[in-house]
C-alpha cells in the first residue's frame, strides 16, 4: 500500500515511544503492502505533562475488603483473573495443591522422592532458546525463575500432598509457577517490561508448554487444571476488589496517567492539536494518510479531525482510546453530545474487553455511518492489556483491511 501512517502516542507509551514505534513499523510490514513512511510525532516529549506520583495522597491500606458479587464468570475472564493472581504470587497454585486433601485415602506414597526428583528435573531443565526468544525472556531470567520454584517450600509441600498419583498435575502447576515468576519480574521492573509473554495470552501458553517440556519432556498446558481452576478461578474473580485495594498505589499508575493526560488535554488541548496538525500537514504527498491514535492520542485525533481546521487524513484509527467516553462527558472541543454530532469518518476503533481504558465508539454516535468497532483481545490482564495491541497481528490486519 502507498501513503503514510502517523502513530500518535498516548498514555502508557510516552516513555517507550521508540520501542512501540518499532513494533508498529514491524507490524505494518507484515501486510501485503506497507505504507511508504511511518512516523510518530513526540507531542508528549515536546509539550506534554510531567510525571505524576499519587502515592502521598492515597488512603492507608485497609485489611477489610468485600468479595465481588456472586455469580460464575466466563472461562476466559476467569483464566485472565487467575493469571492476574498468579503473577502477583507465583507460588499460589503450588500452595493450594499442598493444602488440598489427598485424592485417595490421605496417605501419600513416596512424597519425599517425588520432591527430590522434581527438584532435580528443575535443576537440569533448559528451555528451548527459540521459545525464550519468542517470549522475550532472557536465559538468566528463566534460570532464576526455575531456581526460585525449585528452592521453594511450596514445591516440597505440594509434592508431599500429591505424591506419585498427582505428579502430572503437579508438573503443570510447576510450569505455570515458573512462567508466573518471569511475568512477576517483568511487571515489577521499573519501567515495567512489556515483553511478548506479558502482552499475549497465546505466548504465555506457549512458554508454559516449553517449560513443561524442558522439565518433564512433555509440553504442559497453559490453562489451569480442572480442580485448581474450580477453586482458584472463582477466588480470583471474587477477591479482585481486595487486590485493587491492597495494591492501589501500583494499580493507580495507569489511571493516574490517564487522568493527568486528560486534565492536561482539557486545559492545553489546542497546543496538542496544533502540534499534531502541523506534523500531519508536513507529510510528503505519497498517497493516503492514515492516523493511528493510542489512548489520549486517539482523543486528540478525534477532536482534531472532527473540527473545522482538520488536516487531510483518509482514515482515522483509534486504539485503546477514551474518545467516546470524553465525548459523553462533553469534554471535546469539536463534538458535543446529542443529535447532530458528526465525528470524522471513516473511523476504525479498536478496543479490548480487558483494557479498562478502552471504549466502543459506534454506540455513542448511533446515527453516524462509517464508524467501525473491532475487538482485539490479547488475553492478558490490565494494565498490560492497554499496551498489548501493538504486539498482535490482529491489530495490523484490521488497519490493513480498512486501508483507503
Amino acid at each position: 500500500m502507498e501513503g503514510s501512517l502517523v502513530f500518535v502516542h498516548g498514555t502508557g507509551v510516552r516513555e517507550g515511544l521508540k520501542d512501540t514505534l518499532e513494533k508498529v513499523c514491524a507490524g505494518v510490514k507484515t501486510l501485503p503492502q506497507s505504507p511508504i513512511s511511518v512516523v510518530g510525532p513526540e507531542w508528549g516529549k515536546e509539550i506534554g505533562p510531567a510525571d505524576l506520583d499519587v502515592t502521598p495522597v492515597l488512603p492507608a491500606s485497609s485489611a477489610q475488603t468485600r468479595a465481588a458479587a456472586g455469580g460464575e464468570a466466563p472461562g476466559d475472564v476467569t483464566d485472565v483473573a487467575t493469571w492476574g493472581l498468579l503473577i502477583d504470587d507465583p507460588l499460589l497454585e503450588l500452595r493450594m495443591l499442598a493444602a488440598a486433601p489427598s485424592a485417595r485415602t490421605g496417605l501419600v506414597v513416596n512424597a519425599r522422592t517425588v520432591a527430590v526428583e522434581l527438584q532435580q528435573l528443575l535443576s537440569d531443565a533448559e528451555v528451548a532458546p527459540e521459545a525464550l526468544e519468542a517470549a522475550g525472556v532472557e536465559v538468566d531470567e528463566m534460570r532464576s525463575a526455575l531456581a526460585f520454584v525449585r528452592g521453594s517450600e511450596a514445591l516440597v509441600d505440594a509434592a508431599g500432598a500429591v505424591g506419585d498419583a498427582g505428579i502430572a498435575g503437579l508438573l503443570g502447576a510447576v510450569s505455570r509457577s515458573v512462567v508466573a515468576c518471569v511475568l512477576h519480574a517483568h511487571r515489577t521492573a521499573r519501567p515495567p517490561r512489556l515483553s511478548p509473554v506479558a502482552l499475549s495470552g497465546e505466548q504465555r501458553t506457549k512458554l508454559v508448554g516449553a517449560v513443561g517440556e524442558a522439565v518433564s519432556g512433555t509440553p504442559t498446558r497453559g490453562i489451569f487444571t480442572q480442580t485448581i481452576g474450580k477453586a482458584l478461578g472463582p477466588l480470583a474473580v471474587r477477591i479482585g476488589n481486595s487486590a485493587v485495594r491492597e495494591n492501589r498505589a501500583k494499580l493507580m499508575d495507569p489511571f493516574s496517567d490517564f487522568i493527568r493526560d486528560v486534565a492536561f488535554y482539557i486545559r492545553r488541548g489546542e497546543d496538542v492539536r496544533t502540534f499534531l496538525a502541523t506534523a500531519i500537514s508536513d507529510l510528503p504527498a505519497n498517497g493516503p494518510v492514515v492516523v493511528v491514535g493510542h489512548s489520549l492520542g486517539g482523543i486528540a485525533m478525534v477532536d482534531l479531525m472532527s473540527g473545522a481546521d482538520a488536516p487531510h487524513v483518509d482514515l482515522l484509527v483509534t486504539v485503546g482510546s477514551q474518545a467516546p467516553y470524553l465525548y459523553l462527558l462533553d469534554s471535546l472541543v469539536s463534538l458535543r453530545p446529542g443529535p447532530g454530532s458528526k465525528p470524522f469518518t471513516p473511523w476504525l476503533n479498536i478496543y479490548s474487553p480487558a483494557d479498562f481504558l478502552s471504549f466502543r465508539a459506534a454506540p455513542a454516535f448511533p446515527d453516524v455511518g462509517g464508524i467501525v468497532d473491532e475487538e482485539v483481545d490479547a488475553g492478558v490482564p490490565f494494565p498490560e492489556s492497554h499496551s498489548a495491541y501493538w504486539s498482535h497481528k490482529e491489530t495490523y490486519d484490521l488497519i490493513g483491511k480498512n486501508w483507503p
Side-chain angles (χ1 to χ4, degrees):
M1 61 183 71
E2 297 180 343
S4 300
L5 184 145
V6 183
F7 176 75
V8 182
H9 73 76
T11 300
V13 296
R14 178 186 290 105
E15 294 81 6
L17 177 58
K18 180 181 178 181
D19 290 341
T20 303
L21 195 56
E22 288 178 356
K23 290 180 181 179
V24 172
C25 290
V28 296
K29 284 182 180 178
T30 64
L31 301 177
Q33 291 178 307
S34 58
I36 296 173
S37 62
V38 178
V39 297
E42 297 186 77
W43 72 265
K45 179 180 178 181
E46 296 295 330
I47 58 175
D51 290 337
L52 175 66
D53 180 12
V54 300
T55 305
V57 299
L58 293 179
S61 175
S62 171
Q64 295 183 350
T65 59
R66 292 186 300 173
E72 185 175 351
D76 56 344
V77 173
T78 300
D79 190 52
V80 170
T82 304
W83 270 103
L85 282 185
L86 199 57
I87 293 171
D88 278 338
D89 181 2
L91 298 177
L92 179 58
E93 188 179 356
L94 290 176
R95 282 197 290 269
M96 289 190 69
L97 281 173
S102 172
R104 295 186 177 183
T105 62
L107 177 65
V108 175
V109 180
N110 295 329
R112 180 172 178 79
T113 301
V114 171
V116 171
E117 289 181 354
L118 191 51
Q119 288 172 331
Q120 186 60 52
L121 289 172
L122 286 166
S123 295
D124 296 338
E126 291 289 344
V127 179
E130 58 271 19
L132 295 178
E133 182 178 1
V137 177
E138 302 292 336
V139 173
D140 289 344
E141 288 182 291
M142 179 55 66
R143 289 175 178 169
S144 177
L146 288 164
F148 176 79
V149 176
R150 182 182 67 240
S152 68
E153 292 184 9
L155 176 68
V156 176
D157 292 342
V162 304
D164 290 330
I167 188 64
L170 180 57
L171 284 168
V174 166
S175 301
R176 288 186 288 273
S177 293
V178 170
V179 172
C181 285
V182 173
L183 291 170
H184 179 83
H186 288 194
R187 174 178 284 185
T188 55
R190 290 293 177 268
R193 281 189 57 191
L194 299 176
S195 56
V197 70
L199 298 176
S200 169
E202 182 181 358
Q203 285 290 351
R204 183 184 63 215
T205 298
K206 289 180 179 179
L207 185 58
V208 171
V211 171
E213 188 166 12
V215 172
S216 65
T218 303
T220 301
R221 299 176 69 194
I223 60 175
F224 295 85
T225 60
Q226 185 176 14
T227 302
I228 294 297
K230 284 185 176 180
L232 189 55
L235 174 66
V237 175
R238 285 177 175 272
I239 72 171
N241 288 348
S242 173
V244 168
R245 290 193 184 191
E246 296 300 319
N247 298 282
R248 184 174 175 186
K250 176 179 67 177
L251 294 173
M252 274 293 292
D253 285 346
F255 291 109
S256 296
D257 288 344
F258 161 61
I259 295 169
R260 171 203 60 193
D261 284 356
V262 168
F264 169 83
Y265 180 74
I266 292 174
R267 180 168 51 90
R268 293 189 58 193
E270 184 176 355
D271 294 341
V272 178
R273 292 190 297 274
T274 299
F275 184 93
L276 295 174
T278 300
I280 296 170
S281 298
D282 289 344
L283 290 171
N286 58 14
V289 176
V290 173
V291 174
V292 179
H294 179 231
S295 196
L296 179 59
I299 295 174
M301 288 311 307
V302 169
D303 213 358
L304 171 62
M305 296 309 304
S306 301
D309 299 323
H312 174 75
V313 167
D314 297 282
L315 172 66
L316 171 62
V317 182
T318 54
V319 181
S321 180
Q322 307 84 38
Y325 181 57
L326 262 68
Y327 163 73
L328 295 178
L329 292 177
D330 197 10
S331 297
L332 299 179
V333 173
S334 302
L335 295 170
R336 301 293 304 275
S341 291
K342 293 185 178 181
F344 173 88
T345 57
W347 175 6
L348 168 64
N349 179 63
I350 299 174
Y351 68 96
S352 168
D355 176 10
F356 302 147
L357 295 179
S358 70
F359 297 84
R360 293 189 300 159
F365 304 94
D367 299 325
V368 178
I371 304 176
V372 178
D373 289 316
E374 294 284 1
E375 177 182 313
V376 173
D377 188 358
V380 297
F382 186 80
E384 288 85 359
S385 57
H386 189 53
S387 299
Y389 302 97
W390 316 116
S391 299
H392 290 271
K393 185 175 183 296
E394 292 89 340
T395 300
Y396 305 104
D397 286 345
L398 288 169
I399 294 173
K401 177 182 176 182
N402 289 273
W403 195 273

